[in-house]
Amino acid sequence: MTYCVGMRLNYGLVFMSDTRTNAGVDNFSSARKMFTWSIPGERSITLMTAGNLATTQAVVSLLEERSKAVEDRDPSILRQSTMFQVARLVGTTLKEVISYSSPTGQTADDRFSASVIVGGQIKGGQPTIFLVYPAGNFIEITEDSPFFQIGETKYGKPILVRAYDADMRFEEAVRLLMVSFDSTIKSNLSVGLPLDLHIYENDSYHTDRQRRIEEGDVAYTKTTAAWSNALKSALEQLETFEI
């Protein structure tokens, strides 16, 4: 299991993912879940994965392989004309890998299942994010649904729903995501540090603003400790329920 969030703000896009993988309660390891492609001045694409690790790695490997020699390989994620076409390519690739891996054919709930968040901007279009399902179909982010989650979503969603604001600055959005991830990490062993962060500013067309948040990161530790203390303080201030 894993946890990934893609969020759209008025200033751009924010992506965060954990890196934990597990094959049982006593077998944990780390694997990158966030991947980026860019052509400076033309496009920036970020992809995050959740689900069967072999499936997601095969999807990313295919996308990578088909993008390295652009003149020889097609379709390439670096040659799609719009983010919609990028989402279609990712969906097709995901469906292809799942169908190939499953000897009985693709089903959305089988052990080869995976889901993907892909977002970014291609020159001439607006920044956007898509959620791609195991069947290869996908939906696009909207004002009513301004963020997507995949993986272990339930623990981190309440704070996002309550506190998200499209006008928040990147720093505020990262703080919100830190709290969302901390809630998930504390509730589920299959999600854990390090975390990968990518901030994309509208019309920048690059992937430079990336950071890995390791165990002991000062900003993360201070933010999550302050959030824990604030929750305890808020609880103490609530009216006592009389029995």
Side-chain angles (χ1 to χ4, degrees), residues 61-237:
S61 294
L62 277 173
L63 293 172
E64 287 275 12
E65 183 182 67
R66 292 166 178 171
S67 66
K68 287 181 178 177
V70 177
E71 68 280 2
D72 298 326
R73 300 185 182 275
D74 194 62
S76 166
I77 199 169
L78 295 176
R79 296 179 66 181
Q80 304 307 301
S81 58
T82 65
M83 284 303 302
F84 181 85
Q85 294 299 327
V86 169
R88 285 190 62 184
L89 173 61
V90 172
T92 300
T93 306
L94 178 59
K95 183 177 180 180
E96 172 189 345
V97 171
I98 293 176
S99 298
Y100 177 80
S101 300
S102 178
T104 58
Q106 177 186 339
T107 59
D109 58 350
D110 68 20
R111 58 195 175 119
F112 300 103
S113 182
S115 53
V116 172
I117 290 174
V118 59
Q121 184 178 20
I122 295 175
K123 198 165 187 177
Q126 296 297 314
T128 190
I129 301 174
F130 294 87
L131 172 59
V132 185
Y133 296 104
N137 55 335
F138 53 87
I139 58 175
E140 186 173 7
I141 213 160
T142 65
E143 290 185 6
D144 293 326
S145 300
F147 58 84
F148 286 140
Q149 302 168 279
I150 55 175
E152 187 54 79
T153 62
K154 57 184 177 290
Y155 302 108
K157 186 173 184 178
I159 184 61
L160 297 181
V161 172
R162 290 176 182 270
Y164 168 85
D165 187 335
D167 283 327
M168 62 174 44
R169 304 189 312 272
F170 287 127
E171 295 81 2
E172 295 170 318
V174 172
R175 180 178 62 190
L176 174 59
L177 287 175
M178 283 184 177
V179 171
S180 177
F181 272 77
D182 179 63
S183 299
T184 306
I185 290 170
K186 283 181 167 59
S187 302
N188 193 304
L189 289 174
S190 68
V191 179
L193 295 164
L195 307 178
D196 287 321
L197 168 68
H198 178 212
I199 295 173
Y200 175 77
E201 186 175 357
N202 291 344
D203 303 322
S204 61
Y205 306 108
H206 63 70
T207 58
D208 293 348
R209 299 182 69 177
Q210 297 190 58
R211 177 183 173 187
R212 172 158 284 196
I213 300 170
E214 302 277 2
E215 192 80 42
D217 182 273
V218 174
Y220 179 81
T221 301
K222 286 184 176 180
T223 299
T224 56
W227 173 246
S228 180
N229 292 334
L231 280 178
K232 294 175 183 177
S233 177
L235 180 62
E236 293 169 356
Q237 294 177 42

